[in-house]
Amino acid sequence: GAVVSQHPSRVICKSGTSVKIECRSLDFQATTMFWYRQFPKQSLMLMATSNEGSKATYEQGVEKDKFLINHASLTLSTLTVTSAHPEDSSFYICSVATGIEQFFGPGTRLTVL
Amino acid sequence: AQSVTQLGSHVSVSEGALVLLRCNYSSSVPPYLFWYVQYPNQGLQLLLKYTSAATLVKGINGFEAEFKKSETSFHLTKPSAHMSDAAEYFCAVRGKWGGGADGLTFGKGTHLIIQP
């Protein structure tokens, strides 16, 4: 399966600042990646589908201007949380689609103070 | 639209006992079904998947699951629990559309506790 990394693993920022999270597919050329968020002790919720070379597709209720996704290459997708607020604090996890299966990154814990 | 229901947010079993984690799904198209395990502060690891081949699917770490269309279920079992099995388990469904990749819809998760 695909090996997926995320950077950073943890980030703490002040309210109003922007944070960029990177998702890398280390051994697979990924035309499609997914971004999920997970609140404490809850399930994963799909935020958006990241497509290489085109605009991301956002799920209903996810603000595209707040969660900017860039999939500029077959190995890198980035999620930028703009003007972060405490309610954006969450665990963000990306995945790489390889046909039927998805392989997940280790996640990024975002804490907004 | 798809949905997943996992019965029991917490399941506690004794070491060596049978593990049974329940998952029921709803899908308007034939589904792909998955079980993932998550350890604290980590991403998800695939345990097993159903893709319309055999209805009894064997996965890693001794886990298996049976797809029952009539019951819309995909319950996860393991004959003998180990302490290392303590984790959060998620059932997920993906619609089998004509092509392309789709995000997964996850259940709320079941926290498996292993009693020594």
Side-chain angles (χ1 to χ4, degrees):
Chain A
V3 179
V4 183
S5 70
Q6 284 184 241
H7 177 78
S9 58
R10 293 177 179 269
V11 57
I12 301 173
C13 69
K14 293 182 178 180
S15 184
T17 61
S18 295
V19 174
K20 180 184 286 188
I21 302 169
E22 294 184 347
C23 176
R24 292 185 184 273
S25 177
L26 301 182
D27 58 355
F28 182 82
Q29 294 194 322
T31 56
T32 302
M33 295 184 180
F34 299 95
W35 286 96
Y36 297 82
R37 67 185 299 181
Q38 184 180 29
F39 290 107
K41 300 188 185 302
Q42 295 189 31
S43 188
L44 284 78
M45 297 294 293
L46 178 66
M47 297 176 65
T49 303
S50 172
N51 299 298
E52 188 266 337
S54 65
K55 291 184 178 181
T57 304
Y58 291 82
E59 295 300 301
Q60 191 173 10
V62 178
E63 299 175 59
K64 63 180 181 180
D65 294 330
K66 180 164 189 62
F67 298 100
L68 300 179
I69 292 172
N70 187 347
H71 193 155
S73 77
L74 291 172
T75 58
L76 174 64
S77 175
T78 60
L79 169 68
T80 301
V81 184
T82 62
S83 186
H85 290 284
E87 57 266 30
D88 299 322
S89 298
S90 188
F91 196 49
Y92 292 88
I93 306 176
C94 70
S95 72
V96 166
T98 64
I100 296 170
E101 293 186 32
Q102 291 186 28
F103 294 90
F104 288 81
T108 297
R109 173 78 59 194
L110 170 63
T111 303
V112 184
L113 302 177
Chain B
Q2 298 119 60
S3 66
V4 176
T5 302
Q6 290 183 241
L7 296 177
S9 59
H10 290 77
V11 170
S12 179
V13 302
S14 298
E15 190 175 17
L18 171 72
V19 175
L20 171 60
L21 304 183
R22 300 177 186 274
C23 173
N24 288 87
Y25 70 91
S26 171
S27 177
S28 57
V29 296
Y32 292 128
L33 292 159
F34 307 84
W35 274 100
Y36 286 90
V37 61
Q38 184 181 34
Y39 296 98
N41 294 311
Q42 294 186 27
L44 278 72
Q45 181 182 8
L46 179 67
L47 283 175
L48 48 81
K49 63 181 184 289
Y50 167 75
T51 59
S52 79
T55 56
L56 181 62
V57 180
K58 294 187 184 299
I60 63 172
N61 300 339
F63 285 95
E64 61 181 39
E66 186 173 9
F67 173 72
K68 292 187 177 181
K69 183 178 179 180
S70 61
E71 299 178 7
T72 61
S73 68
F74 190 56
H75 301 331
L76 181 71
T77 60
K78 181 173 180 177
S80 177
H82 287 184
M83 296 299 292
S84 60
D85 294 327
E88 193 79 17
Y89 291 80
F90 292 97
C91 181
V93 64
R94 187 201 127 181
K96 195 185 302 179
W97 305 104
D102 296 296
L104 299 177
T105 299
F106 285 87
K108 291 184 181 298
T110 297
H111 186 65
L112 178 61
I113 301 164
I114 310 297
Q115 305 280 4

